[in-house]
Amino acid sequence: MPAIVLIGAQWGDEGKGKATDLLGGQYGWVVRYQGGNNAGHTVVTPDGRDFALKLIPSGILTPGVKNVIGNGVVVNPEALIEEKEGLERRGVDTSGLLISADAHLIMPYHVAIDRVTERYLGKAKIGTTGRGIGPAYGDKVARVGVRVADLLDEKILHQKVEAALELKNQILVKVYNRRALDLDEVVDTVLEQSTKFADKIVDTRLLLNQALERGETILLEGSQGTLLDVDHGTYPFVTSSNPTAGGAAVGSGIGPTRIDRVIGILKAYTTRVGSGPFPTELHDEMGERLRKVGGEIGVNTGRERRCGWFDAVIGRYAARVNGITDFFLTKLDVLSGLDAVPICVGYEIDGRHVDEMPMTQTDLHHAVPVYEEMPGWFEDLSACRTFDELPQAARDYVLRLEELTGAPMSAIGVGPGRDQTITREV
Ligand code: IMP
């Protein structure tokens, strides 16, 4: 199996960390292809230790695996060092970490601009993680970004930061009434930081393609999720990169013909953090119950996640735009104890029935979910290890999700533990 893509099928936080773990041992490389330290993957190692990863690929916890921060990622040097050293302090070997020379850097002015922009947007804010992600990608596309390779050439770095700061300082001072950043201080700080990872900077695109030629398997690990994709998500309430499967090829330098499996991680209900439309969101005690039982608090920012019922329109949309071969369904156990479990099968928009993702932002904002109720179950699922051990109602729920989304569920999570997963031949 040459290259596998693993992506979130909803708004992120579907439990990708555990999914990566499930594939353990099947790959020699793990690549992050987009996003930055806005992500948060919780991974539990075989010895039961919990790790919250933000920027570094989750394969870092598996000895012998090579971990690549791909060209599509935006790297905050300070966050990288902090995470890398934090892992080392806990005895994790980080020698297998490699960083693409083409990845862009998140500079201090990106973080400053992210935060002030959000404040200026007021009620229209995106609810970003405040990590400078949007401004860094903005500079990349505007062709005024600073790349990891620039850290290897002080003169070029100085020139690029000088050019960037000329405009950024005007914006910070004149528009946002903030302090200007000092050129030498910015350059000296990143240069000093780069000494801690300069030996990791390589042409990862070449190495990955050579690995594929040797028949090695690569796991392309997406962060965030389909509906946070800047092209296919709920724009403008999205992140600034492409978590969808197509982004995996661009953000790693691997050709799309090399990818033969796309796994979508799908939560048995829906959550999102930050602002933006969310048709099945529950504002009542049921939403509170899902948040509590599901432990729906952001790994990275500590924010409470908004919670709601499963939305099959979104699941079907994710299957389509990513070319999903199979889903890993997570957190089915959280739904135990309900008389009935509603599934959103379509929307009512201004008197029209709609089964697919609305074309306009206005329609999505006006979408009222149409629910189908499935019988609930009261049994604790946490000890189930085969599909047949699940109560009939839970099995029916899973089978209905398969029908509605159009893709098979090859794994089902029934608890946070490593072994609390049911795998199925599909
Ligand atoms: P940004 O990525 O920090 O620019 O934030 C843009 C939007 O993406 C906000 O709604 C964030 O809450 C959301 N977001 C970013 N990273 C994650 C993640 O890892 N999980 C869930 N939501 C995320």
Side-chain angles (χ1 to χ4, degrees):
M1 208 180 281
I4 308 171
V5 180
L6 193 76
I7 41 145
Q10 294 146 319
W11 275 286
D13 306 316
E14 296 89 354
K16 288 180 286 286
K18 196 172 160 202
T20 319
D21 197 40
L22 250 188
L23 294 166
Q26 290 184 34
Y27 46 78
W29 299 71
V30 180
V31 184
R32 268 285 301 272
Y33 57 85
Q34 48 71 229
N37 60 318
N38 50 345
H41 289 173
T42 305
V43 185
V44 183
T45 53
D47 55 7
R49 292 191 302 159
D50 258 43
F51 289 89
L53 297 167
K54 293 176 180 167
L55 175 63
I56 295 181
S58 57
I60 202 78
L61 302 172
T62 312
V65 168
K66 289 266 197 311
N67 290 273
V68 172
I69 293 179
N71 57 278
V73 174
V74 283
V75 179
N76 178 325
E78 190 184 356
L80 172 67
I81 296 165
E82 197 180 299
E83 190 169 338
K84 182 171 161 293
E85 293 184 348
L87 287 168
E88 286 161 0
R89 274 196 300 279
R90 293 183 66 189
V92 176
D93 174 12
T94 62
S95 60
L97 179 67
L98 300 167
I99 304 161
S100 167
D102 286 340
H104 278 246
L105 292 173
I106 299 179
M107 304 295 281
Y109 44 87
H110 293 136
V111 179
I113 289 173
D114 193 0
R115 295 192 178 155
V116 284
T117 311
E118 282 283 276
R119 230 168 289 149
Y120 256 61
L121 282 171
K123 264 169 68 183
K125 72 174 182 186
I126 309 294
T128 72
T129 58
R131 305 287 191 262
I133 306 293
Y137 277 114
D139 276 3
K140 171 179 175 172
V141 176
R143 297 164 296 185
V144 290
V146 183
R147 295 194 290 177
V148 168
D150 298 327
L151 296 169
L152 305 175
D153 186 332
E154 186 175 340
K155 199 164 143 228
I156 288 285
L157 178 73
H158 202 276
Q159 276 173 16
K160 290 197 174 177
V161 177
E162 186 173 22
L165 266 187
E166 219 166 285
L167 179 63
K168 298 295 186 286
N169 273 340
Q170 301 265 359
I171 295 172
L172 281 170
V173 174
K174 294 187 180 155
V175 179
Y176 295 116
N177 201 19
R178 300 279 129 175
R179 182 177 72 81
L181 299 179
D182 179 74
L183 170 63
D184 289 333
E185 197 181 315
V186 171
V187 172
D188 291 349
T189 306
V190 283
L191 273 179
E192 161 76 25
Q193 289 165 336
S194 71
T195 57
K196 302 200 172 163
F197 58 84
D199 58 327
K200 309 272 179 208
I201 303 171
V202 286
D203 179 353
T204 54
R205 181 173 32 226
L206 177 65
L207 293 182
L208 289 170
N209 280 289
Q210 286 172 336
L212 285 171
E213 290 303 324
R214 290 193 299 270
E216 294 171 26
T217 301
I218 295 174
L219 179 68
L220 297 151
E221 182 179 60
S223 53
Q224 290 84 47
T226 300
L227 292 182
L228 288 174
D229 187 284
V230 69
D231 283 86
H232 303 292
T234 47
Y235 191 90
F237 302 101
V238 293
T239 193
S240 301
S241 61
N242 292 113
T244 49
V250 179
S252 64
I254 290 175
T257 49
R258 301 289 201 161
I259 298 166
D260 74 347
R261 187 177 177 194
V262 178
I263 303 169
I265 315 303
L266 193 63
K267 210 182 290 199
Y269 49 97
T270 314
T271 62
R272 103 169 273 181
V273 277
S275 323
F278 177 0
T280 64
E281 181 171 15
L282 293 164
H283 297 281
D284 54 12
E285 65 274 18
M286 190 52 79
E288 195 49 51
R289 181 189 187 281
L290 290 175
R291 183 156 41 245
K292 225 162 150 189
V293 181
E296 299 296 350
I297 306 283
V299 175
N300 194 321
T301 57
R303 290 185 289 180
E304 284 197 343
R305 297 180 186 141
R306 300 158 62 193
C307 297
W309 297 123
F310 185 87
D311 188 335
V313 178
I314 287 172
R316 192 160 51 240
Y317 177 75
R320 188 180 301 135
V321 296
N322 293 297
I324 283 171
T325 51
D326 52 319
F327 281 119
F328 282 5
L329 186 70
T330 58
K331 295 193 160 181
L332 184 62
D333 55 301
V334 174
L335 297 180
S336 286
L338 302 172
D339 289 319
V341 192
I343 300 175
C344 167
V345 293
Y347 304 132
E348 202 68 44
I349 304 172
D350 301 329
R352 285 172 293 130
H353 182 87
V354 173
D355 310 300
E356 300 296 352
M357 203 63 172
M359 187 178 79
T360 65
Q361 196 189 336
T362 311
D363 274 359
L364 185 60
H365 274 284
H366 292 166
V368 177
V370 175
Y371 288 112
E372 170 182 302
E373 287 213 334
M374 298 289 291
W377 60 90
F378 288 86
E379 295 88 336
D380 174 8
L381 310 185
S382 60
C384 297
R385 293 294 175 272
T386 65
F387 191 61
D388 291 340
E389 283 168 33
L390 288 174
Q392 182 66 47
R395 275 187 308 213
D396 289 345
Y397 183 72
V398 175
L399 296 174
R400 186 67 183 133
L401 298 194
E402 283 190 337
E403 231 167 56
L404 289 166
T405 57
M409 311 274 159
S410 61
I412 300 158
V414 290
R418 293 190 95 218
D419 59 332
Q420 291 178 304
T421 306
I422 293 168
T423 51
R424 285 170 80 213
E425 285 297 324
V426 289

